[in-house]
PDB file of all heavy atoms in Angstrom:
ATOM      1  N   PHE A1407       0.856  -1.174   0.000  1.00 98.00           N
ATOM      2  CA  PHE A1407      -0.023  -0.019   0.005  1.00 98.00           C
ATOM      3  C   PHE A1407       0.892   1.299  -0.017  1.00 98.00           C
ATOM      4  O   PHE A1407       1.775   1.380   0.837  1.00 98.00           O
ATOM      5  CB  PHE A1407      -0.887  -0.011   1.240  1.00 98.00           C
ATOM      6  CG  PHE A1407      -1.994  -0.966   1.271  1.00 98.00           C
ATOM      7  CD1 PHE A1407      -1.742  -2.240   1.772  1.00 98.00           C
ATOM      8  CD2 PHE A1407      -3.227  -0.696   0.851  1.00 98.00           C
ATOM      9  CE1 PHE A1407      -2.649  -3.249   1.704  1.00 98.00           C
ATOM     10  CE2 PHE A1407      -4.240  -1.640   0.916  1.00 98.00           C
ATOM     11  CZ  PHE A1407      -3.965  -2.964   1.351  1.00 98.00           C
ATOM     12  N   LEU A1408       0.627   2.159  -0.924  1.00 98.00           N
ATOM     13  CA  LEU A1408       1.273   3.472  -1.008  1.00 98.00           C
ATOM     14  C   LEU A1408       0.217   4.465  -0.996  1.00 98.00           C
ATOM     15  O   LEU A1408      -0.938   4.259  -1.631  1.00 98.00           O
ATOM     16  CB  LEU A1408       2.168   3.637  -2.258  1.00 98.00           C
ATOM     17  CG  LEU A1408       3.154   2.545  -2.636  1.00 98.00           C
ATOM     18  CD1 LEU A1408       3.763   2.935  -4.031  1.00 98.00           C
ATOM     19  CD2 LEU A1408       4.170   2.434  -1.557  1.00 98.00           C
ATOM     20  N   ALA A1409       0.501   5.609  -0.393  1.00 98.00           N
ATOM     21  CA  ALA A1409      -0.434   6.750  -0.454  1.00 98.00           C
ATOM     22  C   ALA A1409       0.326   8.002  -0.891  1.00 98.00           C
ATOM     23  O   ALA A1409       1.396   8.340  -0.331  1.00 98.00           O
ATOM     24  CB  ALA A1409      -1.094   7.013   0.948  1.00 98.00           C
ATOM     25  N   ASN A1410      -0.273   8.664  -1.922  1.00 98.00           N
ATOM     26  CA  ASN A1410       0.427   9.821  -2.510  1.00 98.00           C
ATOM     27  C   ASN A1410      -0.602  10.849  -2.820  1.00 98.00           C
ATOM     28  O   ASN A1410      -1.260  10.775  -3.805  1.00 98.00           O
ATOM     29  CB  ASN A1410       1.173   9.362  -3.737  1.00 98.00           C
ATOM     30  CG  ASN A1410       2.291  10.360  -4.095  1.00 98.00           C
ATOM     31  OD1 ASN A1410       2.824  11.007  -3.234  1.00 98.00           O
ATOM     32  ND2 ASN A1410       2.632  10.427  -5.424  1.00 98.00           N
ATOM     33  N   PRO A1411      -0.776  12.001  -2.026  1.00 98.00           N
ATOM     34  CA  PRO A1411      -0.049  12.234  -0.780  1.00 98.00           C
ATOM     35  C   PRO A1411      -0.452  11.313   0.378  1.00 98.00           C
ATOM     36  O   PRO A1411      -1.549  10.730   0.273  1.00 98.00           O
ATOM     37  CB  PRO A1411      -0.540  13.688  -0.507  1.00 98.00           C
ATOM     38  CG  PRO A1411      -1.065  14.265  -1.723  1.00 98.00           C
ATOM     39  CD  PRO A1411      -1.640  13.106  -2.508  1.00 98.00           C
ATOM     40  N   ASN A1412       0.330  11.224   1.343  1.00 98.00           N
ATOM     41  CA  ASN A1412       0.063  10.319   2.393  1.00 98.00           C
ATOM     42  C   ASN A1412      -0.804  11.005   3.471  1.00 98.00           C
ATOM     43  O   ASN A1412      -0.653  12.156   3.832  1.00 98.00           O
ATOM     44  CB  ASN A1412       1.351   9.861   3.107  1.00 98.00           C
ATOM     45  CG  ASN A1412       1.113   8.816   4.138  1.00 98.00           C
ATOM     46  OD1 ASN A1412       0.557   7.787   3.927  1.00 98.00           O
ATOM     47  ND2 ASN A1412       1.628   9.188   5.366  1.00 98.00           N
ATOM     48  N   ASN A1413      -1.687  10.249   4.020  1.00 97.00           N
ATOM     49  CA  ASN A1413      -2.550  10.625   5.124  1.00 97.00           C
ATOM     50  C   ASN A1413      -2.059   9.729   6.323  1.00 97.00           C
ATOM     51  O   ASN A1413      -2.150   8.491   6.198  1.00 97.00           O
ATOM     52  CB  ASN A1413      -4.058  10.351   4.810  1.00 97.00           C
ATOM     53  CG  ASN A1413      -4.969  10.598   5.992  1.00 97.00           C
ATOM     54  OD1 ASN A1413      -4.657  11.375   6.910  1.00 97.00           O
ATOM     55  ND2 ASN A1413      -6.026   9.886   6.066  1.00 97.00           N
ATOM     56  N   PRO A1414      -1.613  10.353   7.420  1.00 97.00           N
ATOM     57  CA  PRO A1414      -1.914  11.712   7.945  1.00 97.00           C
ATOM     58  C   PRO A1414      -0.763  12.734   7.807  1.00 97.00           C
ATOM     59  O   PRO A1414      -0.990  13.825   8.290  1.00 97.00           O
ATOM     60  CB  PRO A1414      -2.165  11.473   9.418  1.00 97.00           C
ATOM     61  CG  PRO A1414      -1.169  10.314   9.764  1.00 97.00           C
ATOM     62  CD  PRO A1414      -1.099   9.483   8.525  1.00 97.00           C
ATOM     63  N   THR A1415       0.311  12.357   7.154  1.00 98.00           N
ATOM     64  CA  THR A1415       1.487  13.232   7.185  1.00 98.00           C
ATOM     65  C   THR A1415       1.403  14.360   6.115  1.00 98.00           C
ATOM     66  O   THR A1415       1.989  15.421   6.245  1.00 98.00           O
ATOM     67  CB  THR A1415       2.816  12.516   6.998  1.00 98.00           C
ATOM     68  OG1 THR A1415       2.754  11.893   5.665  1.00 98.00           O
ATOM     69  CG2 THR A1415       2.935  11.467   8.081  1.00 98.00           C
ATOM     70  N   GLY A1416       0.736  14.101   4.961  1.00 97.00           N
ATOM     71  CA  GLY A1416       0.688  14.975   3.806  1.00 97.00           C
ATOM     72  C   GLY A1416       1.848  14.997   2.937  1.00 97.00           C
ATOM     73  O   GLY A1416       1.903  15.684   1.842  1.00 97.00           O
ATOM     74  N   THR A1417       2.852  14.153   3.172  1.00 97.00           N
ATOM     75  CA  THR A1417       4.010  14.116   2.388  1.00 97.00           C
ATOM     76  C   THR A1417       3.721  13.277   1.095  1.00 97.00           C
ATOM     77  O   THR A1417       2.698  12.617   0.936  1.00 97.00           O
ATOM     78  CB  THR A1417       5.121  13.326   3.145  1.00 97.00           C
ATOM     79  OG1 THR A1417       4.636  12.049   3.591  1.00 97.00           O
ATOM     80  CG2 THR A1417       5.673  14.142   4.301  1.00 97.00           C
ATOM     81  N   TRP A1418       4.511  13.508   0.053  1.00 97.00           N
ATOM     82  CA  TRP A1418       4.323  12.944  -1.245  1.00 97.00           C
ATOM     83  C   TRP A1418       5.684  12.590  -1.933  1.00 97.00           C
ATOM     84  O   TRP A1418       6.655  13.011  -1.476  1.00 97.00           O
ATOM     85  CB  TRP A1418       3.520  13.948  -2.158  1.00 97.00           C
ATOM     86  CG  TRP A1418       4.271  15.173  -2.389  1.00 97.00           C
ATOM     87  CD1 TRP A1418       4.463  16.236  -1.579  1.00 97.00           C
ATOM     88  CD2 TRP A1418       4.980  15.510  -3.569  1.00 97.00           C
ATOM     89  NE1 TRP A1418       5.203  17.256  -2.181  1.00 97.00           N
ATOM     90  CE2 TRP A1418       5.536  16.807  -3.420  1.00 97.00           C
ATOM     91  CE3 TRP A1418       5.204  14.931  -4.809  1.00 97.00           C
ATOM     92  CZ2 TRP A1418       6.309  17.422  -4.357  1.00 97.00           C
ATOM     93  CZ3 TRP A1418       5.817  15.495  -5.814  1.00 97.00           C
ATOM     94  CH2 TRP A1418       6.480  16.838  -5.608  1.00 97.00           C
ATOM     95  N   PHE A1419       5.552  11.772  -2.944  1.00 98.00           N
ATOM     96  CA  PHE A1419       6.735  11.363  -3.728  1.00 98.00           C
ATOM     97  C   PHE A1419       6.484  11.691  -5.216  1.00 98.00           C
ATOM     98  O   PHE A1419       5.333  11.794  -5.696  1.00 98.00           O
ATOM     99  CB  PHE A1419       7.116   9.916  -3.511  1.00 98.00           C
ATOM    100  CG  PHE A1419       6.079   8.921  -3.674  1.00 98.00           C
ATOM    101  CD1 PHE A1419       5.534   8.491  -4.977  1.00 98.00           C
ATOM    102  CD2 PHE A1419       5.334   8.482  -2.517  1.00 98.00           C
ATOM    103  CE1 PHE A1419       4.487   7.571  -4.997  1.00 98.00           C
ATOM    104  CE2 PHE A1419       4.231   7.556  -2.625  1.00 98.00           C
ATOM    105  CZ  PHE A1419       3.902   7.100  -3.828  1.00 98.00           C
ATOM    106  N   GLY A1420       7.608  11.842  -5.972  1.00 98.00           N
ATOM    107  CA  GLY A1420       7.529  12.198  -7.406  1.00 98.00           C
ATOM    108  C   GLY A1420       7.557  11.124  -8.432  1.00 98.00           C
ATOM    109  O   GLY A1420       7.466   9.927  -8.057  1.00 98.00           O
ATOM    110  N   LYS A1421       7.497  11.506  -9.708  1.00 98.00           N
ATOM    111  CA  LYS A1421       7.407  10.546 -10.782  1.00 98.00           C
ATOM    112  C   LYS A1421       8.531   9.570 -10.781  1.00 98.00           C
ATOM    113  O   LYS A1421       8.269   8.262 -11.026  1.00 98.00           O
ATOM    114  CB  LYS A1421       7.347  11.324 -12.081  1.00 98.00           C
ATOM    115  CG  LYS A1421       6.117  12.291 -12.222  1.00 98.00           C
ATOM    116  CD  LYS A1421       6.160  13.050 -13.517  1.00 98.00           C
ATOM    117  CE  LYS A1421       4.982  14.004 -13.531  1.00 98.00           C
ATOM    118  NZ  LYS A1421       5.130  14.943 -14.740  1.00 98.00           N
ATOM    119  N   ASP A1422       9.786  10.022 -10.721  1.00 98.00           N
ATOM    120  CA  ASP A1422      10.874   9.033 -10.782  1.00 98.00           C
ATOM    121  C   ASP A1422      10.851   8.037  -9.630  1.00 98.00           C
ATOM    122  O   ASP A1422      11.153   6.864  -9.861  1.00 98.00           O
ATOM    123  CB  ASP A1422      12.223   9.884 -10.742  1.00 98.00           C
ATOM    124  CG  ASP A1422      12.461  10.657 -12.035  1.00 98.00           C
ATOM    125  OD1 ASP A1422      11.742  10.430 -13.019  1.00 98.00           O
ATOM    126  OD2 ASP A1422      13.398  11.590 -12.082  1.00 98.00           O
ATOM    127  N   ALA A1423      10.533   8.517  -8.494  1.00 98.00           N
ATOM    128  CA  ALA A1423      10.566   7.567  -7.310  1.00 98.00           C
ATOM    129  C   ALA A1423       9.404   6.563  -7.518  1.00 98.00           C
ATOM    130  O   ALA A1423       9.630   5.308  -7.250  1.00 98.00           O
ATOM    131  CB  ALA A1423      10.224   8.366  -6.038  1.00 98.00           C
ATOM    132  N   LEU A1424       8.300   6.920  -7.957  1.00 98.00           N
ATOM    133  CA  LEU A1424       7.229   5.904  -8.248  1.00 98.00           C
ATOM    134  C   LEU A1424       7.624   4.913  -9.379  1.00 98.00           C
ATOM    135  O   LEU A1424       7.375   3.754  -9.220  1.00 98.00           O
ATOM    136  CB  LEU A1424       5.836   6.666  -8.655  1.00 98.00           C
ATOM    137  CG  LEU A1424       4.755   5.636  -8.969  1.00 98.00           C
ATOM    138  CD1 LEU A1424       4.375   4.671  -7.786  1.00 98.00           C
ATOM    139  CD2 LEU A1424       3.503   6.429  -9.396  1.00 98.00           C
ATOM    140  N   ALA A1425       8.190   5.475 -10.450  1.00 98.00           N
ATOM    141  CA  ALA A1425       8.695   4.588 -11.525  1.00 98.00           C
ATOM    142  C   ALA A1425       9.652   3.570 -11.084  1.00 98.00           C
ATOM    143  O   ALA A1425       9.512   2.418 -11.444  1.00 98.00           O
ATOM    144  CB  ALA A1425       9.092   5.447 -12.680  1.00 98.00           C
ATOM    145  N   ALA A1426      10.622   4.047 -10.251  1.00 98.00           N
ATOM    146  CA  ALA A1426      11.659   3.067  -9.814  1.00 98.00           C
ATOM    147  C   ALA A1426      11.057   2.079  -8.876  1.00 98.00           C
ATOM    148  O   ALA A1426      11.435   0.913  -8.989  1.00 98.00           O
ATOM    149  CB  ALA A1426      12.756   3.890  -9.082  1.00 98.00           C
ATOM    150  N   PHE A1427      10.095   2.473  -8.043  1.00 98.00           N
ATOM    151  CA  PHE A1427       9.529   1.460  -7.135  1.00 98.00           C
ATOM    152  C   PHE A1427       8.728   0.414  -8.001  1.00 98.00           C
ATOM    153  O   PHE A1427       8.807  -0.767  -7.701  1.00 98.00           O
ATOM    154  CB  PHE A1427       8.589   2.191  -6.206  1.00 98.00           C
ATOM    155  CG  PHE A1427       7.871   1.254  -5.221  1.00 98.00           C
ATOM    156  CD1 PHE A1427       8.532   0.805  -4.133  1.00 98.00           C
ATOM    157  CD2 PHE A1427       6.594   0.808  -5.497  1.00 98.00           C
ATOM    158  CE1 PHE A1427       7.924  -0.102  -3.240  1.00 98.00           C
ATOM    159  CE2 PHE A1427       5.961  -0.146  -4.612  1.00 98.00           C
ATOM    160  CZ  PHE A1427       6.656  -0.542  -3.534  1.00 98.00           C
ATOM    161  N   LEU A1428       7.920   0.840  -8.928  1.00 98.00           N
ATOM    162  CA  LEU A1428       7.080  -0.028  -9.657  1.00 98.00           C
ATOM    163  C   LEU A1428       7.975  -1.007 -10.525  1.00 98.00           C
ATOM    164  O   LEU A1428       7.679  -2.196 -10.603  1.00 98.00           O
ATOM    165  CB  LEU A1428       6.118   0.704 -10.620  1.00 98.00           C
ATOM    166  CG  LEU A1428       5.037   1.449  -9.954  1.00 98.00           C
ATOM    167  CD1 LEU A1428       4.242   2.337 -10.928  1.00 98.00           C
ATOM    168  CD2 LEU A1428       4.058   0.553  -9.179  1.00 98.00           C
ATOM    169  N   ALA A1429       9.151  -0.550 -10.898  1.00 97.00           N
ATOM    170  CA  ALA A1429       9.944  -1.447 -11.705  1.00 97.00           C
ATOM    171  C   ALA A1429      10.712  -2.467 -10.802  1.00 97.00           C
ATOM    172  O   ALA A1429      10.987  -3.481 -11.285  1.00 97.00           O
ATOM    173  CB  ALA A1429      11.088  -0.574 -12.393  1.00 97.00           C
ATOM    174  N   ALA A1430      10.832  -2.145  -9.505  1.00 97.00           N
ATOM    175  CA  ALA A1430      11.502  -3.017  -8.598  1.00 97.00           C
ATOM    176  C   ALA A1430      10.634  -4.086  -7.997  1.00 97.00           C
ATOM    177  O   ALA A1430      11.105  -5.063  -7.478  1.00 97.00           O
ATOM    178  CB  ALA A1430      12.089  -2.202  -7.442  1.00 97.00           C
ATOM    179  N   VAL A1431       9.280  -3.850  -8.135  1.00 97.00           N
ATOM    180  CA  VAL A1431       8.373  -4.809  -7.540  1.00 97.00           C
ATOM    181  C   VAL A1431       7.902  -5.864  -8.478  1.00 97.00           C
ATOM    182  O   VAL A1431       7.605  -5.615  -9.661  1.00 97.00           O
ATOM    183  CB  VAL A1431       7.101  -4.078  -6.978  1.00 97.00           C
ATOM    184  CG1 VAL A1431       6.031  -5.009  -6.475  1.00 97.00           C
ATOM    185  CG2 VAL A1431       7.456  -3.112  -5.846  1.00 97.00           C
ATOM    186  N   PRO A1432       7.968  -7.138  -8.125  1.00 96.00           N
ATOM    187  CA  PRO A1432       7.609  -8.229  -9.011  1.00 96.00           C
ATOM    188  C   PRO A1432       6.161  -8.090  -9.405  1.00 96.00           C
ATOM    189  O   PRO A1432       5.323  -7.623  -8.619  1.00 96.00           O
ATOM    190  CB  PRO A1432       7.882  -9.497  -8.089  1.00 96.00           C
ATOM    191  CG  PRO A1432       7.887  -9.081  -6.741  1.00 96.00           C
ATOM    192  CD  PRO A1432       8.409  -7.686  -6.694  1.00 96.00           C
ATOM    193  N   ALA A1433       5.838  -8.686 -10.555  1.00 95.00           N
ATOM    194  CA  ALA A1433       4.496  -8.565 -11.040  1.00 95.00           C
ATOM    195  C   ALA A1433       3.456  -9.322 -10.188  1.00 95.00           C
ATOM    196  O   ALA A1433       2.290  -9.219 -10.367  1.00 95.00           O
ATOM    197  CB  ALA A1433       4.453  -9.161 -12.573  1.00 95.00           C
ATOM    198  N   SER A1434       3.971 -10.312  -9.411  1.00 95.00           N
ATOM    199  CA  SER A1434       3.057 -11.038  -8.532  1.00 95.00           C
ATOM    200  C   SER A1434       2.645 -10.348  -7.360  1.00 95.00           C
ATOM    201  O   SER A1434       1.845 -10.881  -6.498  1.00 95.00           O
ATOM    202  CB  SER A1434       3.775 -12.419  -8.157  1.00 95.00           C
ATOM    203  OG  SER A1434       5.049 -12.093  -7.501  1.00 95.00           O
ATOM    204  N   THR A1435       3.168  -9.204  -7.127  1.00 97.00           N
ATOM    205  CA  THR A1435       2.895  -8.337  -5.913  1.00 97.00           C
ATOM    206  C   THR A1435       1.883  -7.205  -6.337  1.00 97.00           C
ATOM    207  O   THR A1435       2.229  -6.416  -7.215  1.00 97.00           O
ATOM    208  CB  THR A1435       4.009  -7.765  -5.164  1.00 97.00           C
ATOM    209  OG1 THR A1435       4.868  -8.821  -4.791  1.00 97.00           O
ATOM    210  CG2 THR A1435       3.676  -6.886  -4.047  1.00 97.00           C
ATOM    211  N   ILE A1436       0.635  -7.122  -5.733  1.00 98.00           N
ATOM    212  CA  ILE A1436      -0.194  -6.045  -6.107  1.00 98.00           C
ATOM    213  C   ILE A1436       0.283  -4.770  -5.384  1.00 98.00           C
ATOM    214  O   ILE A1436       0.484  -4.708  -4.181  1.00 98.00           O
ATOM    215  CB  ILE A1436      -1.660  -6.397  -5.539  1.00 98.00           C
ATOM    216  CG1 ILE A1436      -2.152  -7.668  -6.270  1.00 98.00           C
ATOM    217  CG2 ILE A1436      -2.629  -5.182  -5.783  1.00 98.00           C
ATOM    218  CD1 ILE A1436      -2.492  -7.514  -7.720  1.00 98.00           C
ATOM    219  N   VAL A1437       0.369  -3.689  -6.115  1.00 98.00           N
ATOM    220  CA  VAL A1437       0.655  -2.362  -5.593  1.00 98.00           C
ATOM    221  C   VAL A1437      -0.594  -1.499  -5.600  1.00 98.00           C
ATOM    222  O   VAL A1437      -1.234  -1.239  -6.643  1.00 98.00           O
ATOM    223  CB  VAL A1437       1.725  -1.634  -6.402  1.00 98.00           C
ATOM    224  CG1 VAL A1437       2.068  -0.227  -5.867  1.00 98.00           C
ATOM    225  CG2 VAL A1437       3.025  -2.471  -6.467  1.00 98.00           C
ATOM    226  N   VAL A1438      -1.024  -1.149  -4.425  1.00 98.00           N
ATOM    227  CA  VAL A1438      -2.233  -0.303  -4.234  1.00 98.00           C
ATOM    228  C   VAL A1438      -1.764   1.116  -4.009  1.00 98.00           C
ATOM    229  O   VAL A1438      -1.135   1.444  -2.997  1.00 98.00           O
ATOM    230  CB  VAL A1438      -3.105  -0.744  -3.025  1.00 98.00           C
ATOM    231  CG1 VAL A1438      -4.351   0.091  -2.928  1.00 98.00           C
ATOM    232  CG2 VAL A1438      -3.395  -2.274  -3.186  1.00 98.00           C
ATOM    233  N   LEU A1439      -2.036   2.062  -4.955  1.00 98.00           N
ATOM    234  CA  LEU A1439      -1.676   3.443  -4.883  1.00 98.00           C
ATOM    235  C   LEU A1439      -2.904   4.241  -4.626  1.00 98.00           C
ATOM    236  O   LEU A1439      -3.830   4.522  -5.370  1.00 98.00           O
ATOM    237  CB  LEU A1439      -1.063   3.860  -6.204  1.00 98.00           C
ATOM    238  CG  LEU A1439      -0.563   5.254  -6.332  1.00 98.00           C
ATOM    239  CD1 LEU A1439       0.455   5.584  -5.269  1.00 98.00           C
ATOM    240  CD2 LEU A1439       0.029   5.507  -7.755  1.00 98.00           C
ATOM    241  N   ASP A1440      -2.883   4.783  -3.261  1.00 98.00           N
ATOM    242  CA  ASP A1440      -4.161   5.558  -2.835  1.00 98.00           C
ATOM    243  C   ASP A1440      -3.818   6.991  -3.132  1.00 98.00           C
ATOM    244  O   ASP A1440      -2.943   7.657  -2.567  1.00 98.00           O
ATOM    245  CB  ASP A1440      -4.232   5.343  -1.337  1.00 98.00           C
ATOM    246  CG  ASP A1440      -5.481   5.876  -0.787  1.00 98.00           C
ATOM    247  OD1 ASP A1440      -6.094   6.776  -1.422  1.00 98.00           O
ATOM    248  OD2 ASP A1440      -5.784   5.641   0.416  1.00 98.00           O
ATOM    249  N   GLU A1441      -4.702   7.543  -4.042  1.00 98.00           N
ATOM    250  CA  GLU A1441      -4.558   8.949  -4.464  1.00 98.00           C
ATOM    251  C   GLU A1441      -5.748   9.754  -4.062  1.00 98.00           C
ATOM    252  O   GLU A1441      -6.307  10.565  -4.779  1.00 98.00           O
ATOM    253  CB  GLU A1441      -4.335   8.956  -5.968  1.00 98.00           C
ATOM    254  CG  GLU A1441      -3.030   8.378  -6.412  1.00 98.00           C
ATOM    255  CD  GLU A1441      -2.772   8.501  -7.961  1.00 98.00           C
ATOM    256  OE1 GLU A1441      -3.760   8.716  -8.699  1.00 98.00           O
ATOM    257  OE2 GLU A1441      -1.605   8.507  -8.336  1.00 98.00           O
ATOM    258  N   ALA A1442      -6.204   9.526  -2.805  1.00 98.00           N
ATOM    259  CA  ALA A1442      -7.368  10.294  -2.366  1.00 98.00           C
ATOM    260  C   ALA A1442      -7.312  11.747  -2.408  1.00 98.00           C
ATOM    261  O   ALA A1442      -8.306  12.460  -2.638  1.00 98.00           O
ATOM    262  CB  ALA A1442      -7.717   9.817  -0.836  1.00 98.00           C
ATOM    263  N   TYR A1443      -6.134  12.322  -2.254  1.00 98.00           N
ATOM    264  CA  TYR A1443      -5.951  13.778  -2.296  1.00 98.00           C
ATOM    265  C   TYR A1443      -5.334  14.287  -3.493  1.00 98.00           C
ATOM    266  O   TYR A1443      -4.826  15.379  -3.553  1.00 98.00           O
ATOM    267  CB  TYR A1443      -5.125  14.119  -1.108  1.00 98.00           C
ATOM    268  CG  TYR A1443      -5.690  13.756   0.208  1.00 98.00           C
ATOM    269  CD1 TYR A1443      -5.325  12.507   0.870  1.00 98.00           C
ATOM    270  CD2 TYR A1443      -6.670  14.544   0.883  1.00 98.00           C
ATOM    271  CE1 TYR A1443      -5.984  12.077   1.990  1.00 98.00           C
ATOM    272  CE2 TYR A1443      -7.245  14.126   2.081  1.00 98.00           C
ATOM    273  CZ  TYR A1443      -6.917  12.948   2.653  1.00 98.00           C
ATOM    274  OH  TYR A1443      -7.505  12.524   3.777  1.00 98.00           O
ATOM    275  N   CYS A1444      -5.330  13.477  -4.602  1.00 98.00           N
ATOM    276  CA  CYS A1444      -4.500  13.843  -5.815  1.00 98.00           C
ATOM    277  C   CYS A1444      -4.942  15.115  -6.458  1.00 98.00           C
ATOM    278  O   CYS A1444      -4.168  15.980  -7.025  1.00 98.00           O
ATOM    279  CB  CYS A1444      -4.515  12.717  -6.871  1.00 98.00           C
ATOM    280  SG  CYS A1444      -6.143  12.321  -7.487  1.00 98.00           S
ATOM    281  N   GLU A1445      -6.213  15.441  -6.418  1.00 98.00           N
ATOM    282  CA  GLU A1445      -6.773  16.639  -7.081  1.00 98.00           C
ATOM    283  C   GLU A1445      -6.335  17.895  -6.377  1.00 98.00           C
ATOM    284  O   GLU A1445      -6.412  19.044  -6.936  1.00 98.00           O
ATOM    285  CB  GLU A1445      -8.310  16.657  -7.173  1.00 98.00           C
ATOM    286  CG  GLU A1445      -8.878  15.567  -8.096  1.00 98.00           C
ATOM    287  CD  GLU A1445      -9.248  14.306  -7.337  1.00 98.00           C
ATOM    288  OE1 GLU A1445      -8.892  14.145  -6.256  1.00 98.00           O
ATOM    289  OE2 GLU A1445      -9.889  13.410  -8.010  1.00 98.00           O
ATOM    290  N   TYR A1446      -5.844  17.815  -5.170  1.00 98.00           N
ATOM    291  CA  TYR A1446      -5.402  19.030  -4.433  1.00 98.00           C
ATOM    292  C   TYR A1446      -3.942  19.333  -4.760  1.00 98.00           C
ATOM    293  O   TYR A1446      -3.405  20.445  -4.462  1.00 98.00           O
ATOM    294  CB  TYR A1446      -5.456  18.769  -2.937  1.00 98.00           C
ATOM    295  CG  TYR A1446      -6.820  19.024  -2.365  1.00 98.00           C
ATOM    296  CD1 TYR A1446      -7.553  17.896  -1.783  1.00 98.00           C
ATOM    297  CD2 TYR A1446      -7.442  20.220  -2.303  1.00 98.00           C
ATOM    298  CE1 TYR A1446      -8.851  18.110  -1.264  1.00 98.00           C
ATOM    299  CE2 TYR A1446      -8.692  20.499  -1.787  1.00 98.00           C
ATOM    300  CZ  TYR A1446      -9.403  19.465  -1.265  1.00 98.00           C
ATOM    301  OH  TYR A1446     -10.643  19.617  -0.780  1.00 98.00           O
ATOM    302  N   VAL A1447      -3.211  18.304  -5.368  1.00 98.00           N
ATOM    303  CA  VAL A1447      -1.784  18.572  -5.548  1.00 98.00           C
ATOM    304  C   VAL A1447      -1.430  19.572  -6.637  1.00 98.00           C
ATOM    305  O   VAL A1447      -2.031  19.548  -7.774  1.00 98.00           O
ATOM    306  CB  VAL A1447      -1.089  17.240  -5.881  1.00 98.00           C
ATOM    307  CG1 VAL A1447       0.463  17.359  -6.061  1.00 98.00           C
ATOM    308  CG2 VAL A1447      -1.391  16.218  -4.814  1.00 98.00           C
ATOM    309  N   THR A1448      -0.457  20.527  -6.467  1.00 96.00           N
ATOM    310  CA  THR A1448      -0.061  21.449  -7.391  1.00 96.00           C
ATOM    311  C   THR A1448       1.325  21.270  -7.811  1.00 96.00           C
ATOM    312  O   THR A1448       1.819  22.016  -8.807  1.00 96.00           O
ATOM    313  CB  THR A1448      -0.344  22.824  -6.764  1.00 96.00           C
ATOM    314  OG1 THR A1448       0.577  22.967  -5.580  1.00 96.00           O
ATOM    315  CG2 THR A1448      -1.673  23.223  -6.482  1.00 96.00           C
TER     316      THR A1448
END
C-alpha cells in the first residue's frame, strides 16, 4: 500500500520515485496506490 499524498502526514513522492518502485516490485505483488488527495496537488 502506497499513499500519495500520504494521510496523515501530507508528504508525497515524485514521478521518478514511483517509476523506480514499480520497476523493482515483482508482477506477482499487487501495488495499491491511494490517491485520495490527488486533485489537491499542485
Side-chain angles (χ1 to χ4, degrees):
F1407 290 84
L1408 307 177
N1410 201 30
N1412 184 56
N1413 173 28
T1415 61
T1417 52
W1418 63 283
F1419 48 83
K1421 296 174 182 176
D1422 289 346
L1424 177 59
F1427 179 83
L1428 292 172
V1431 173
S1434 57
T1435 299
I1436 299 290
V1437 177
V1438 182
L1439 179 59
D1440 186 347
E1441 295 184 335
Y1443 300 93
C1444 64
E1445 290 95 348
Y1446 280 114
V1447 180
T1448 57

